[in-house]
Amino acid sequence: AGGMIDSTLGVRFGLATMSAAALGQVVSDVCGVLGGGAVENGLAKLGFQPPNLHPNQLPQVRTLKVFAAVFGVALGCLVGAFPLLIHDFDASERARRAEAVQQVLEEMLNPTEK
């Protein structure tokens, strides 16, 4: 998704690659948060019922749910940032230099009189 955001919205609005990556991260985080409820609803439709908990257990369950959500978002952030490890940040600079070299070579090989 990050590459698509970079090549579409990033180009259209002049976003830097890292800004487009951050936007992709926001999309990923929102999907992760919204997906949690979908899992619970899907399990309920399959016949799984929430456990009958004693009121003393509810604070522990809430704490565990918060930690699980934080872990899920952090994992999503790491997975979303993984493409940054394999992205070639110098590709555009190399392409610009290659174009300049090509232009110089063409001028050398095909001189025009002025």
Side-chain angles (χ1 to χ4, degrees), residues 17-47:
T17 300
M18 292 304 289
S19 297
L23 185 58
Q25 191 64 47
V26 169
V27 171
S28 172
D29 290 347
V30 168
C31 290
V33 170
L34 295 176
V39 171
E40 291 174 4
N41 292 337
L43 290 174
K45 287 181 182 179
L46 291 174

PDB file of all heavy atoms in Angstrom, residues 17-47:
ATOM      1  N   THR A  17       8.649  10.777   0.315  1.00  0.00           N
ATOM      2  CA  THR A  17       8.456   9.333   0.443  1.00  0.00           C
ATOM      3  C   THR A  17       8.146   8.944   1.882  1.00  0.00           C
ATOM      4  O   THR A  17       7.266   8.117   2.132  1.00  0.00           O
ATOM      5  CB  THR A  17       9.701   8.580  -0.049  1.00  0.00           C
ATOM      6  OG1 THR A  17       9.912   8.923  -1.424  1.00  0.00           O
ATOM      7  CG2 THR A  17       9.535   7.092   0.083  1.00  0.00           C
ATOM      8  N   MET A  18       8.834   9.539   2.823  1.00  0.00           N
ATOM      9  CA  MET A  18       8.594   9.201   4.227  1.00  0.00           C
ATOM     10  C   MET A  18       7.213   9.680   4.677  1.00  0.00           C
ATOM     11  O   MET A  18       6.575   9.047   5.502  1.00  0.00           O
ATOM     12  CB  MET A  18       9.687   9.799   5.119  1.00  0.00           C
ATOM     13  CG  MET A  18      11.036   9.153   4.915  1.00  0.00           C
ATOM     14  SD  MET A  18      11.026   7.365   5.141  1.00  0.00           S
ATOM     15  CE  MET A  18      10.799   7.254   6.887  1.00  0.00           C
ATOM     16  N   SER A  19       6.731  10.790   4.116  1.00  0.00           N
ATOM     17  CA  SER A  19       5.378  11.255   4.449  1.00  0.00           C
ATOM     18  C   SER A  19       4.342  10.290   3.904  1.00  0.00           C
ATOM     19  O   SER A  19       3.349   9.995   4.567  1.00  0.00           O
ATOM     20  CB  SER A  19       5.131  12.643   3.861  1.00  0.00           C
ATOM     21  OG  SER A  19       6.010  13.570   4.426  1.00  0.00           O
ATOM     22  N   ALA A  20       4.586   9.798   2.693  1.00  0.00           N
ATOM     23  CA  ALA A  20       3.677   8.807   2.124  1.00  0.00           C
ATOM     24  C   ALA A  20       3.718   7.522   2.950  1.00  0.00           C
ATOM     25  O   ALA A  20       2.691   6.876   3.151  1.00  0.00           O
ATOM     26  CB  ALA A  20       4.045   8.520   0.670  1.00  0.00           C
ATOM     27  N   ALA A  21       4.902   7.158   3.439  1.00  0.00           N
ATOM     28  CA  ALA A  21       5.020   5.973   4.291  1.00  0.00           C
ATOM     29  C   ALA A  21       4.243   6.171   5.594  1.00  0.00           C
ATOM     30  O   ALA A  21       3.587   5.244   6.080  1.00  0.00           O
ATOM     31  CB  ALA A  21       6.488   5.679   4.590  1.00  0.00           C
ATOM     32  N   ALA A  22       4.307   7.364   6.147  1.00  0.00           N
ATOM     33  CA  ALA A  22       3.558   7.648   7.373  1.00  0.00           C
ATOM     34  C   ALA A  22       2.055   7.571   7.122  1.00  0.00           C
ATOM     35  O   ALA A  22       1.303   7.056   7.954  1.00  0.00           O
ATOM     36  CB  ALA A  22       3.935   9.032   7.906  1.00  0.00           C
ATOM     37  N   LEU A  23       1.623   8.061   5.968  1.00  0.00           N
ATOM     38  CA  LEU A  23       0.206   7.969   5.621  1.00  0.00           C
ATOM     39  C   LEU A  23      -0.213   6.507   5.485  1.00  0.00           C
ATOM     40  O   LEU A  23      -1.279   6.106   5.947  1.00  0.00           O
ATOM     41  CB  LEU A  23      -0.067   8.732   4.326  1.00  0.00           C
ATOM     42  CG  LEU A  23      -1.512   8.822   3.884  1.00  0.00           C
ATOM     43  CD1 LEU A  23      -2.374   9.478   4.951  1.00  0.00           C
ATOM     44  CD2 LEU A  23      -1.601   9.602   2.576  1.00  0.00           C
ATOM     45  N   GLY A  24       0.649   5.710   4.875  1.00  0.00           N
ATOM     46  CA  GLY A  24       0.378   4.275   4.783  1.00  0.00           C
ATOM     47  C   GLY A  24       0.303   3.630   6.154  1.00  0.00           C
ATOM     48  O   GLY A  24      -0.514   2.734   6.387  1.00  0.00           O
ATOM     49  N   GLN A  25       1.127   4.102   7.069  1.00  0.00           N
ATOM     50  CA  GLN A  25       1.113   3.573   8.431  1.00  0.00           C
ATOM     51  C   GLN A  25      -0.193   3.905   9.127  1.00  0.00           C
ATOM     52  O   GLN A  25      -0.753   3.083   9.854  1.00  0.00           O
ATOM     53  CB  GLN A  25       2.292   4.145   9.225  1.00  0.00           C
ATOM     54  CG  GLN A  25       2.513   3.461  10.526  1.00  0.00           C
ATOM     55  CD  GLN A  25       2.903   2.020  10.346  1.00  0.00           C
ATOM     56  OE1 GLN A  25       3.762   1.698   9.551  1.00  0.00           O
ATOM     57  NE2 GLN A  25       2.252   1.145  11.068  1.00  0.00           N
ATOM     58  N   VAL A  26      -0.698   5.096   8.905  1.00  0.00           N
ATOM     59  CA  VAL A  26      -1.985   5.491   9.496  1.00  0.00           C
ATOM     60  C   VAL A  26      -3.091   4.581   8.965  1.00  0.00           C
ATOM     61  O   VAL A  26      -3.937   4.099   9.728  1.00  0.00           O
ATOM     62  CB  VAL A  26      -2.292   6.973   9.200  1.00  0.00           C
ATOM     63  CG1 VAL A  26      -3.714   7.320   9.559  1.00  0.00           C
ATOM     64  CG2 VAL A  26      -1.319   7.865   9.946  1.00  0.00           C
ATOM     65  N   VAL A  27      -3.087   4.340   7.647  1.00  0.00           N
ATOM     66  CA  VAL A  27      -4.090   3.446   7.054  1.00  0.00           C
ATOM     67  C   VAL A  27      -3.982   2.056   7.682  1.00  0.00           C
ATOM     68  O   VAL A  27      -4.984   1.439   8.047  1.00  0.00           O
ATOM     69  CB  VAL A  27      -3.920   3.376   5.520  1.00  0.00           C
ATOM     70  CG1 VAL A  27      -4.795   2.301   4.916  1.00  0.00           C
ATOM     71  CG2 VAL A  27      -4.233   4.722   4.898  1.00  0.00           C
ATOM     72  N   SER A  28      -2.760   1.578   7.848  1.00  0.00           N
ATOM     73  CA  SER A  28      -2.542   0.260   8.449  1.00  0.00           C
ATOM     74  C   SER A  28      -3.049   0.199   9.882  1.00  0.00           C
ATOM     75  O   SER A  28      -3.714  -0.769  10.279  1.00  0.00           O
ATOM     76  CB  SER A  28      -1.045  -0.060   8.407  1.00  0.00           C
ATOM     77  OG  SER A  28      -0.760  -1.223   9.125  1.00  0.00           O
ATOM     78  N   ASP A  29      -2.759   1.234  10.667  1.00  0.00           N
ATOM     79  CA  ASP A  29      -3.198   1.251  12.068  1.00  0.00           C
ATOM     80  C   ASP A  29      -4.722   1.288  12.181  1.00  0.00           C
ATOM     81  O   ASP A  29      -5.306   0.586  13.004  1.00  0.00           O
ATOM     82  CB  ASP A  29      -2.609   2.452  12.804  1.00  0.00           C
ATOM     83  CG  ASP A  29      -1.108   2.313  13.015  1.00  0.00           C
ATOM     84  OD1 ASP A  29      -0.580   1.208  12.811  1.00  0.00           O
ATOM     85  OD2 ASP A  29      -0.474   3.319  13.379  1.00  0.00           O
ATOM     86  N   VAL A  30      -5.352   2.101  11.350  1.00  0.00           N
ATOM     87  CA  VAL A  30      -6.822   2.191  11.394  1.00  0.00           C
ATOM     88  C   VAL A  30      -7.438   0.847  11.020  1.00  0.00           C
ATOM     89  O   VAL A  30      -8.380   0.381  11.661  1.00  0.00           O
ATOM     90  CB  VAL A  30      -7.324   3.320  10.465  1.00  0.00           C
ATOM     91  CG1 VAL A  30      -8.821   3.251  10.278  1.00  0.00           C
ATOM     92  CG2 VAL A  30      -6.911   4.669  11.030  1.00  0.00           C
ATOM     93  N   CYS A  31      -6.900   0.203  10.000  1.00  0.00           N
ATOM     94  CA  CYS A  31      -7.408  -1.119   9.610  1.00  0.00           C
ATOM     95  C   CYS A  31      -7.238  -2.134  10.743  1.00  0.00           C
ATOM     96  O   CYS A  31      -8.115  -2.966  10.973  1.00  0.00           O
ATOM     97  CB  CYS A  31      -6.707  -1.613   8.353  1.00  0.00           C
ATOM     98  SG  CYS A  31      -7.167  -0.706   6.870  1.00  0.00           S
ATOM     99  N   GLY A  32      -6.123  -2.040  11.442  1.00  0.00           N
ATOM    100  CA  GLY A  32      -5.888  -2.952  12.562  1.00  0.00           C
ATOM    101  C   GLY A  32      -6.876  -2.750  13.690  1.00  0.00           C
ATOM    102  O   GLY A  32      -7.400  -3.714  14.261  1.00  0.00           O
ATOM    103  N   VAL A  33      -7.154  -1.506  14.015  1.00  0.00           N
ATOM    104  CA  VAL A  33      -8.101  -1.218  15.096  1.00  0.00           C
ATOM    105  C   VAL A  33      -9.509  -1.651  14.699  1.00  0.00           C
ATOM    106  O   VAL A  33     -10.235  -2.269  15.477  1.00  0.00           O
ATOM    107  CB  VAL A  33      -8.059   0.279  15.464  1.00  0.00           C
ATOM    108  CG1 VAL A  33      -9.189   0.642  16.406  1.00  0.00           C
ATOM    109  CG2 VAL A  33      -6.724   0.627  16.090  1.00  0.00           C
ATOM    110  N   LEU A  34      -9.901  -1.322  13.467  1.00  0.00           N
ATOM    111  CA  LEU A  34     -11.236  -1.703  13.014  1.00  0.00           C
ATOM    112  C   LEU A  34     -11.374  -3.213  12.858  1.00  0.00           C
ATOM    113  O   LEU A  34     -12.453  -3.763  13.043  1.00  0.00           O
ATOM    114  CB  LEU A  34     -11.558  -1.016  11.687  1.00  0.00           C
ATOM    115  CG  LEU A  34     -11.654   0.508  11.739  1.00  0.00           C
ATOM    116  CD1 LEU A  34     -11.889   1.067  10.351  1.00  0.00           C
ATOM    117  CD2 LEU A  34     -12.736   0.947  12.700  1.00  0.00           C
ATOM    118  N   GLY A  35     -10.304  -3.883  12.530  1.00  0.00           N
ATOM    119  CA  GLY A  35     -10.344  -5.338  12.341  1.00  0.00           C
ATOM    120  C   GLY A  35     -10.553  -6.107  13.620  1.00  0.00           C
ATOM    121  O   GLY A  35     -11.064  -7.225  13.593  1.00  0.00           O
ATOM    122  N   GLY A  36     -10.195  -5.542  14.765  1.00  0.00           N
ATOM    123  CA  GLY A  36     -10.380  -6.232  16.038  1.00  0.00           C
ATOM    124  C   GLY A  36     -11.840  -6.541  16.312  1.00  0.00           C
ATOM    125  O   GLY A  36     -12.199  -7.638  16.727  1.00  0.00           O
ATOM    126  N   GLY A  37     -12.708  -5.590  16.081  1.00  0.00           N
ATOM    127  CA  GLY A  37     -14.136  -5.813  16.272  1.00  0.00           C
ATOM    128  C   GLY A  37     -14.683  -6.810  15.276  1.00  0.00           C
ATOM    129  O   GLY A  37     -15.598  -7.588  15.595  1.00  0.00           O
ATOM    130  N   ALA A  38     -14.137  -6.827  14.072  1.00  0.00           N
ATOM    131  CA  ALA A  38     -14.602  -7.765  13.055  1.00  0.00           C
ATOM    132  C   ALA A  38     -14.306  -9.203  13.459  1.00  0.00           C
ATOM    133  O   ALA A  38     -15.116 -10.102  13.222  1.00  0.00           O
ATOM    134  CB  ALA A  38     -13.946  -7.449  11.708  1.00  0.00           C
ATOM    135  N   VAL A  39     -13.160  -9.421  14.090  1.00  0.00           N
ATOM    136  CA  VAL A  39     -12.817 -10.771  14.553  1.00  0.00           C
ATOM    137  C   VAL A  39     -13.800 -11.215  15.626  1.00  0.00           C
ATOM    138  O   VAL A  39     -14.316 -12.339  15.594  1.00  0.00           O
ATOM    139  CB  VAL A  39     -11.359 -10.824  15.072  1.00  0.00           C
ATOM    140  CG1 VAL A  39     -11.069 -12.138  15.761  1.00  0.00           C
ATOM    141  CG2 VAL A  39     -10.384 -10.589  13.935  1.00  0.00           C
ATOM    142  N   GLU A  40     -14.080 -10.348  16.576  1.00  0.00           N
ATOM    143  CA  GLU A  40     -15.025 -10.690  17.645  1.00  0.00           C
ATOM    144  C   GLU A  40     -16.409 -10.976  17.075  1.00  0.00           C
ATOM    145  O   GLU A  40     -17.063 -11.942  17.475  1.00  0.00           O
ATOM    146  CB  GLU A  40     -15.098  -9.557  18.661  1.00  0.00           C
ATOM    147  CG  GLU A  40     -13.832  -9.397  19.483  1.00  0.00           C
ATOM    148  CD  GLU A  40     -13.876  -8.184  20.390  1.00  0.00           C
ATOM    149  OE1 GLU A  40     -14.918  -7.493  20.448  1.00  0.00           O
ATOM    150  OE2 GLU A  40     -12.862  -7.924  21.053  1.00  0.00           O
ATOM    151  N   ASN A  41     -16.867 -10.154  16.139  1.00  0.00           N
ATOM    152  CA  ASN A  41     -18.184 -10.362  15.521  1.00  0.00           C
ATOM    153  C   ASN A  41     -18.217 -11.656  14.713  1.00  0.00           C
ATOM    154  O   ASN A  41     -19.217 -12.382  14.730  1.00  0.00           O
ATOM    155  CB  ASN A  41     -18.558  -9.178  14.627  1.00  0.00           C
ATOM    156  CG  ASN A  41     -18.799  -7.916  15.428  1.00  0.00           C
ATOM    157  OD1 ASN A  41     -19.104  -7.973  16.609  1.00  0.00           O
ATOM    158  ND2 ASN A  41     -18.649  -6.776  14.779  1.00  0.00           N
ATOM    159  N   GLY A  42     -17.144 -11.945  14.010  1.00  0.00           N
ATOM    160  CA  GLY A  42     -17.083 -13.177  13.224  1.00  0.00           C
ATOM    161  C   GLY A  42     -17.141 -14.411  14.106  1.00  0.00           C
ATOM    162  O   GLY A  42     -17.831 -15.386  13.783  1.00  0.00           O
ATOM    163  N   LEU A  43     -16.432 -14.379  15.221  1.00  0.00           N
ATOM    164  CA  LEU A  43     -16.471 -15.509  16.145  1.00  0.00           C
ATOM    165  C   LEU A  43     -17.856 -15.672  16.765  1.00  0.00           C
ATOM    166  O   LEU A  43     -18.317 -16.796  16.973  1.00  0.00           O
ATOM    167  CB  LEU A  43     -15.410 -15.340  17.237  1.00  0.00           C
ATOM    168  CG  LEU A  43     -13.962 -15.489  16.772  1.00  0.00           C
ATOM    169  CD1 LEU A  43     -12.991 -15.146  17.903  1.00  0.00           C
ATOM    170  CD2 LEU A  43     -13.707 -16.893  16.261  1.00  0.00           C
ATOM    171  N   ALA A  44     -18.523 -14.560  17.047  1.00  0.00           N
ATOM    172  CA  ALA A  44     -19.879 -14.639  17.608  1.00  0.00           C
ATOM    173  C   ALA A  44     -20.829 -15.277  16.592  1.00  0.00           C
ATOM    174  O   ALA A  44     -21.693 -16.079  16.959  1.00  0.00           O
ATOM    175  CB  ALA A  44     -20.368 -13.248  18.006  1.00  0.00           C
ATOM    176  N   LYS A  45     -20.666 -14.943  15.303  1.00  0.00           N
ATOM    177  CA  LYS A  45     -21.519 -15.532  14.268  1.00  0.00           C
ATOM    178  C   LYS A  45     -21.251 -17.023  14.093  1.00  0.00           C
ATOM    179  O   LYS A  45     -22.126 -17.775  13.676  1.00  0.00           O
ATOM    180  CB  LYS A  45     -21.293 -14.820  12.935  1.00  0.00           C
ATOM    181  CG  LYS A  45     -21.904 -13.437  12.904  1.00  0.00           C
ATOM    182  CD  LYS A  45     -21.678 -12.768  11.566  1.00  0.00           C
ATOM    183  CE  LYS A  45     -22.256 -11.362  11.586  1.00  0.00           C
ATOM    184  NZ  LYS A  45     -22.025 -10.665  10.312  1.00  0.00           N
ATOM    185  N   LEU A  46     -20.029 -17.453  14.423  1.00  0.00           N
ATOM    186  CA  LEU A  46     -19.697 -18.879  14.343  1.00  0.00           C
ATOM    187  C   LEU A  46     -20.186 -19.648  15.570  1.00  0.00           C
ATOM    188  O   LEU A  46     -20.024 -20.860  15.644  1.00  0.00           O
ATOM    189  CB  LEU A  46     -18.184 -19.065  14.197  1.00  0.00           C
ATOM    190  CG  LEU A  46     -17.593 -18.622  12.865  1.00  0.00           C
ATOM    191  CD1 LEU A  46     -16.066 -18.718  12.909  1.00  0.00           C
ATOM    192  CD2 LEU A  46     -18.136 -19.476  11.725  1.00  0.00           C
ATOM    193  N   GLY A  47     -20.767 -18.940  16.530  1.00  0.00           N
ATOM    194  CA  GLY A  47     -21.325 -19.610  17.690  1.00  0.00           C
ATOM    195  C   GLY A  47     -20.492 -19.494  18.951  1.00  0.00           C
ATOM    196  O   GLY A  47     -20.878 -20.013  19.993  1.00  0.00           O
TER     197      GLY A  47
END
